[in-house]
Amino acid sequence: MRSGNLKYAVLGLVASQPEGVHGYKLKADFDALSDDFWQVNYGRLYRVLDHLEQRGDLEAVEEVQSGRPNKKVYRLTERGRQSLDDWLLQPVSDDPQPLRDEISLRLLFLRDDNVEALADLIKQQRGIYLTRLARIARRRRKLEKSGVNMKVVGLIMDGAEMRVRADITWLEHIERKIVRTF
């Protein structure tokens, strides 16, 4: 994922919460929507929030909580809304970055005469992909129950599922081409 895209993802999530959102909730929302294909830790998220606040795209207000530490609540500014809208209307990149996966590197460097190791690697990876499909299905059900508008979110979930299914098909292709021919 291009590094600049995270700031727009954050702006989009903050924009969807006009009452404001604190970092912990923002991280939970981010994970709920994208955890299968994009993970962000708290440190990186807070660095992006600080950067967007310094640029004037977000404003932060400290809210006092009784019995708990104060929390910083972020809201989108007019500048932030304009920045997000400008980005949304730009043409998409003509250089999409494919996912960098470990299995491609392992396949590249594992000798093709080591059929047993290749078969084991494919079996392990298939299990990972099947687990990922199950997580996507659970996430979809959870989002549907939470009342999220599934019109677009459902399409994104479809895309995540289709990518994993394509990866499984690719594994089957590798198995036919390499493992079964030796």
Side-chain angles (χ1 to χ4, degrees):
M1 191 61 62
R2 295 189 189 281
S3 60
N5 289 344
L6 179 57
K7 70 180 174 187
Y8 294 110
V10 170
L11 285 174
L13 284 171
V14 173
S16 71
Q17 309 260 346
E19 69 282 357
V21 62
H22 57 88
Y24 185 80
K25 170 86 167 82
L26 191 63
K27 169 82 166 91
D29 291 349
F30 191 90
D31 288 348
L33 290 172
S34 64
D35 194 41
D36 283 308
F37 56 91
W38 195 3
Q39 293 82 35
V40 174
N41 64 39
Y42 282 103
R44 185 157 183 223
L45 176 63
Y46 280 105
R47 283 191 303 276
V48 169
L49 287 168
D50 288 344
H51 172 74
L52 291 171
E53 184 182 6
Q54 289 169 2
R55 280 179 36 137
D57 290 333
L58 296 177
E59 64 181 359
V61 176
E62 191 116 348
E63 285 192 3
V64 178
Q65 301 185 103
S66 65
R68 294 166 61 185
N70 296 345
K71 65 180 176 183
K72 216 173 186 182
V73 176
Y74 297 90
R75 289 180 185 82
L76 196 66
T77 64
E78 278 303 313
R79 176 186 156 88
R81 167 52 63 196
Q82 188 62 54
S83 181
L84 179 61
D85 288 346
D86 290 347
W87 178 77
L88 289 169
L89 298 175
Q90 287 178 2
V92 294
S93 169
D94 61 355
D95 184 27
Q97 300 296 307
L99 297 175
R100 295 179 215 140
D101 56 7
E102 183 179 341
I103 188 168
S104 296
L105 288 173
R106 288 179 183 231
L107 288 169
L108 188 61
F109 298 113
L110 193 61
R111 292 188 1 234
D112 62 1
D113 63 348
N114 193 345
V115 178
E116 193 173 309
L118 285 166
D120 190 47
L121 180 63
I122 290 169
K123 180 180 176 184
Q124 289 174 29
Q125 194 67 35
R126 182 179 286 114
I128 290 167
Y129 289 151
L130 292 173
T131 299
R132 187 171 291 164
L133 277 176
R135 274 197 338 244
I136 291 168
R138 283 192 305 273
R139 179 165 289 113
R140 183 187 298 267
R141 287 190 300 273
K142 185 177 178 181
L143 289 168
E144 286 170 347
K145 288 179 184 177
S146 74
V148 169
N149 180 345
M150 291 300 290
K151 193 173 195 176
V152 173
V153 172
L155 293 173
I156 293 169
M157 299 303 291
D158 291 346
E161 184 177 312
M162 291 167 85
R163 285 184 197 99
V164 175
R165 290 191 186 283
D167 287 336
I168 291 170
T169 301
W170 177 62
L171 285 179
E172 292 166 352
H173 175 72
I174 293 168
E175 198 170 37
R176 281 191 306 276
K177 292 287 186 172
I178 296 176
V179 176
R180 291 183 187 162
T181 59
F182 283 90

